[in-house]
Amino acid sequence: CLDESMSIWLSCWTCPGWVFCPRKPHPFGNEYHTICCGDSGILFDLEIVEGKDRPHEIGEPEFHEHGNTGGLLLRLTKSIHNSARYVVLDSGFCVLAALVALRKLGVFAGALIKKRRFWPRYIAGDAIDTHTAMKAVGDSAAVEGSLNDTHYNVWCMKEPDYTMKIMGTASGLFPVDDRLHSRTWKEAGETKTASFHYLEPFYLHFKYRHVVDDHNNLWHAV
């Protein structure tokens, strides 16, 4: 799992690379991009967000030709290139070209898709929402595509009030465990419940998305 982490520091005058990140529980300090092993919870690489404090004399970072997100993903996964491992990413990293670049170096990935002002490039989010509007809760579907001669999928799962979407370069729509997961919602004043199996992309997302957060909780604990 690859995600962002904060190292707490309150004074901007005594901390090079200090940032204020209001969406974080600890908004002051250094921000790191970190990657953790999903099985052991061990953090095995990190990169500080340098911002304007990065010295110009040291030149561009490695893999900068792949853009900010692509370069970041390629640097943090460098030790697992060509290992066929799978990386779980949140919506901050949902850049399809970056996932394709990662796939070309032998690492698979799945990134949650969210619409901010616009849908991410190459993702027809509104068309997907229209297609799944009348689907039952728990139903899944896939949109196939190819970018730079690399195959990818956009996987969709109907939730009670939206359609969850994941872009990825591996995996498939098949169940991987026997556990049933439930959703409860109200419709026309009536409480409804649906139970279904998570298919693999969603199973991997829900199982491993908190690995970095769990590591941070242990890191910040007394």
Side-chain angles (χ1 to χ4, degrees):
C1 179
L2 192 153
D3 205 350
E4 299 164 337
S5 305
M6 291 296 295
S7 179
I8 306 167
W9 196 267
L10 298 181
S11 173
C12 63
W13 308 111
T14 56
C15 180
W18 187 92
V19 298
F20 170 60
C21 193
R23 68 181 183 277
K24 296 294 184 182
H26 303 289
F28 304 104
N30 285 131
E31 182 182 8
Y32 292 89
H33 291 108
T34 54
I35 185 168
C36 279
C37 170
D39 292 324
S40 67
I42 294 173
L43 186 152
F44 62 90
D45 206 350
L46 60 91
E47 180 176 302
I48 190 172
V49 177
E50 296 170 301
K52 295 179 180 179
D53 288 346
R54 177 180 174 82
H56 297 290
E57 293 81 5
I58 62 178
E60 296 288 349
E62 191 176 12
F63 302 117
H64 68 91
E65 65 274 12
H66 293 280
N68 292 334
T69 302
L72 173 68
L73 293 181
L74 295 181
R75 288 192 298 275
L76 285 180
T77 58
K78 189 174 181 179
S79 63
I80 58 172
H81 285 177
N82 302 307
S83 67
R85 285 182 167 86
Y86 186 92
V87 183
V88 173
L89 303 166
D90 72 7
S91 60
F93 304 96
C94 61
V95 178
L96 186 57
L99 269 63
V100 167
L102 202 60
R103 172 65 183 85
K104 288 180 179 292
L105 290 174
V107 179
F108 302 101
L112 186 67
I113 300 171
K114 285 186 179 179
K115 182 180 182 180
R116 289 178 169 83
R117 285 189 63 192
F118 306 100
W119 290 106
R121 193 176 183 186
Y122 308 113
I123 304 302
D126 293 331
I128 292 173
D129 288 340
T130 300
H131 175 76
T132 58
M134 303 306 294
K135 299 286 187 180
V137 172
D139 283 356
S140 298
V143 179
E144 294 183 292
S146 179
L147 180 65
N148 298 333
D149 299 322
T150 301
H151 180 79
Y152 71 88
N153 282 287
V154 176
W155 298 293
C156 319
M157 184 177 74
K158 188 70 170 68
E159 295 277 3
D161 53 353
Y162 70 101
T163 299
M164 182 178 179
K165 307 172 191 69
I166 293 177
M167 63 169 70
T169 53
S171 182
L173 290 179
F174 51 85
V176 292
D177 69 349
D178 296 328
R179 182 183 172 190
L180 284 173
H181 301 269
S182 298
R183 298 289 190 274
T184 301
W185 71 100
K186 287 187 177 293
E187 186 175 313
E190 180 183 354
T191 300
K192 294 189 175 183
T193 301
S195 297
F196 52 91
H197 295 285
Y198 283 156
L199 303 185
E200 189 181 40
F202 307 100
Y203 168 83
L204 293 172
H205 173 78
F206 286 119
K207 182 175 176 63
Y208 294 114
R209 63 177 178 171
H210 289 301
V211 170
V212 172
D213 292 335
D214 292 343
H215 186 281
N216 291 342
N217 290 335
L218 292 172
W219 179 14
H220 292 146
V222 177

